[in-house]
Amino acid sequence: MRQSAGTADKTQAQELYDNIRAQTWRQVKLGERPTYTWDDAGVRWLDERSYKATIQKDMEHLTWLQPYFRGKPLIEMNRAFIMEVLEIKKKETSPASANRVLALVRAVLRMCIEWDWLDNAPKLRQYPENKRRVRWITTDEATRLLRELPDHLRDMAHFSLATGLRQSNMSGLLWEQVDLTRKVAWIHPDQSKNRKAIGVSLTDSAVAIIRRQMGKNPTYIFTYNGQSIHQVNTKAWRNALKRAGISNFRWHDLRHTWASWHVQAGTPISRLQEMGGWESVEMVRRYAHLAPEHLAGDSANIEGALSSLGTNLSQPPFLIAQKKG
């Protein structure tokens, strides 16, 4: 293997050459592990994880880390150094954003162990995050919003409320992925977030919305001026929210609204998980509190014990004592 010394100084070049020869000899004769860097790990990670739906997000995180981790030997990636860098991310953004980057660093270092590039990896604890409420809107609010949206966004928002599809899956939905006779649609594994196929049962409203798109584009269902739509968080969307009197609401919250409506209508959590394509039931339980009615029977189990406490609790203690005397 040929390698540039990166210097015109013959003495420095010879020194580098001797070091490389010595390192190679130790690797071959003594079985020493080569010195891999974070750059090596990042490149291999992207190469082996290119199938991930979130690979673009990984690339964004790695790009942010690069000024701090560039050229760092893996054996020097200790907890103190990593957390010092993540503190910068936390201050720039939020604990939640820092945790997303931390999760990637942890995953890459674990793979370095599998690749036999490291013996062990530092234990990295996530930052505490504030639990955010599920943001959803009522049917009255949804009606106001749909009235304010331009036609192409109105149909897409209405379809999201009818199916719960993520924005990327909806905007990329092809005519070949729907069967209006059977009233079904499907998301291929390479299109879904968790790389598992999703079957979508189309309501009458969803079918009607799709039929309105016929003849606009031979490939994509949802379009604007005949072209596929890739951006929905537009000025038109934001202005419609203002006119409808709805604040703190993102496009993705349409999916939260769909799930919330289902729970309140009695759809079991396990069925909702399958319909929404969530990987684990824990991700769906955040909607369970919206319909506590199913717990009514269990709540009544202690009613007998409560009633036995008596009616004297409403009377002042001294009156109860006088009756006893």
Side-chain angles (χ1 to χ4, degrees):
M1 179 181 70
R2 302 187 64 181
Q3 179 177 339
S4 170
T7 177
D9 188 295
K10 290 185 178 181
T11 302
Q12 292 181 355
Q14 183 62 46
E15 182 179 349
L16 175 62
Y17 173 72
D18 291 340
N19 287 337
I20 293 175
R21 282 194 61 186
Q23 184 181 32
T24 303
W25 183 87
R26 288 196 300 271
Q27 292 171 10
V28 175
K29 298 296 184 180
L30 305 180
E32 288 188 5
R33 178 187 288 133
T35 301
Y36 294 103
T37 66
W38 172 259
D39 308 67
D40 299 322
V43 170
R44 184 165 178 178
W45 173 269
L46 292 176
D47 182 53
E48 295 188 0
R49 294 295 187 278
S50 59
Y51 62 87
K52 287 180 60 181
T54 56
I55 191 63
Q56 188 62 40
K57 184 61 66 175
D58 286 1
M59 291 178 67
E60 292 176 12
H61 292 333
L62 289 171
T63 299
W64 186 89
L65 289 167
Q66 194 60 11
Y68 307 100
F69 285 2
R70 180 184 291 113
K72 188 75 170 178
L74 293 175
I75 56 175
E76 296 180 13
M77 298 282 292
N78 56 50
R79 183 180 183 280
F81 169 71
I82 295 172
M83 295 310 296
E84 182 180 348
V85 172
L86 289 172
E87 276 293 319
I88 300 173
K89 182 66 175 178
K90 188 183 79 165
K91 292 177 181 177
E92 286 183 357
T93 54
S94 67
S97 296
N99 282 338
R100 304 295 87 78
V101 179
L102 184 149
L104 176 62
V105 173
R106 188 160 48 193
V108 171
L109 293 179
R110 284 202 198 106
M111 284 306 304
C112 287
I113 296 175
E114 289 196 25
W115 298 332
D116 196 30
W117 289 7
L118 274 178
D119 291 325
N120 51 65
K123 294 182 179 180
L124 306 173
R125 290 186 178 181
Q126 289 192 331
Y127 294 107
E129 297 182 28
N130 293 327
K131 297 292 184 181
R132 294 193 305 175
R133 294 182 181 181
V134 173
R135 180 70 173 101
W136 60 281
I137 55 178
T138 65
T139 53
D140 287 341
E141 290 175 312
T143 299
R144 295 204 309 267
L145 175 59
L146 293 179
R147 285 174 179 167
E148 297 295 340
L149 287 169
D151 291 345
H152 67 290
L153 289 180
R154 180 188 304 127
D155 282 343
M156 293 181 72
H158 197 173
F159 192 77
S160 181
L161 290 169
T163 63
L165 279 181
R166 294 180 174 89
Q167 185 260 313
S168 59
N169 292 143
M170 180 174 51
S171 60
L173 195 62
L174 309 178
W175 285 107
E176 63 186 35
Q177 291 175 251
V178 300
D179 186 332
L180 297 184
T181 302
R182 295 169 51 215
K183 297 173 64 175
V184 296
W186 50 90
I187 304 301
H188 299 299
D190 62 334
Q191 297 173 314
S192 68
K193 187 174 181 180
N194 61 10
R195 286 304 189 246
K196 294 181 181 178
I198 302 174
V200 183
S201 177
L202 300 175
T203 63
D204 291 339
S205 296
V207 170
I209 293 168
I210 291 178
R211 290 191 184 281
R212 288 201 293 270
Q213 315 311 312
M214 289 181 171
K216 297 180 179 180
N217 185 288
T219 305
Y220 292 95
I221 293 178
F222 294 104
T223 59
Y224 177 63
N225 289 338
Q227 301 298 316
S228 59
I229 299 172
H230 301 288
Q231 180 60 264
V232 292
N233 183 23
T234 62
K235 185 177 181 180
W237 163 258
R238 295 189 292 271
N239 287 340
L241 287 171
K242 290 180 181 179
R243 291 193 298 270
I246 300 173
S247 59
N248 188 31
F249 193 80
R250 309 163 302 164
W251 185 278
H252 188 72
D253 293 327
L254 292 169
R255 176 172 164 86
H256 292 324
T257 299
W258 167 82
S260 300
W261 288 358
H262 262 288
V263 170
Q264 293 173 74
T267 302
I269 292 294
S270 58
R271 297 297 294 273
L272 183 60
Q273 177 190 353
E274 183 178 357
M275 293 166 61
W278 281 285
E279 191 168 6
S280 65
V281 71
E282 285 72 22
M283 301 178 71
V284 196
R285 291 194 184 282
R286 55 185 163 171
Y287 305 105
H289 71 284
L290 298 172
E293 293 87 352
H294 69 287
L295 302 174
D298 296 325
S299 298
N301 288 340
I302 64 170
E303 185 58 34
L306 293 171
S307 61
S308 69
L309 294 178
T311 59
N312 288 332
L313 294 177
S314 60
Q315 301 180 21
F318 71 90
L319 289 180
I320 298 176
Q322 288 179 355
K323 288 181 180 180
K324 286 183 178 180

